[in-house]
Amino acid sequence: MGMGGISIWQLLIILVIVLLLFGTKRLRNIGSDLGGAVKGFRSAMGDANKGGDDESKQLEDQKAERTADSDTGAASGSDAGTGSDADKPKV
């Protein structure tokens, strides 16, 4: 390849040097540790997303209930419990 490119031969030389420095057993241990860390991270992210979905669904349900309650109160002409008296200026 041209300037700045890494050929397959250069990668093979780097691989041989790494194998000589660390050995296959140590590299295997590093790989398994790294794989376990990635697996743990993914499961933690999956648990966080599941918990976040439940919370967001609960918030949406509460918002829908409030909207339904305020629509019912406005349709019947009742302002009880909506807090609209606090928004009106006292004259």
Side-chain angles (χ1 to χ4, degrees):
M1 279 197 170
M3 294 178 59
I6 297 177
S7 71
I8 189 73
W9 295 110
Q10 292 169 334
L11 289 175
L12 286 174
I13 292 171
I14 292 171
L15 178 65
V16 168
I17 291 171
V18 168
L19 283 172
L20 289 174
L21 287 175
F22 294 109
T24 56
K25 186 176 180 181
R26 195 170 194 188
L27 286 177
R28 190 178 314 126
N29 289 340
I30 291 171
S32 65
D33 290 344
L34 184 62
V38 170
K39 185 177 180 181
F41 178 76
R42 284 186 180 175
S43 67
M45 291 301 293
D47 292 344
N49 286 341
K50 287 179 185 176
D53 291 342
D54 292 340
E55 292 173 5
S56 64
K57 184 169 175 68
Q58 288 176 351
L59 290 174
E60 289 174 7
D61 291 343
Q62 290 174 354
K63 186 177 179 182
E65 287 175 5
R66 279 190 240 127
T67 305
D69 290 343
S70 66
D71 290 344
T72 314
S76 66
S78 171
D79 287 337
T82 59
S84 60
D85 290 337
D87 296 336
K88 295 179 184 177
K90 295 181 181 178
V91 180

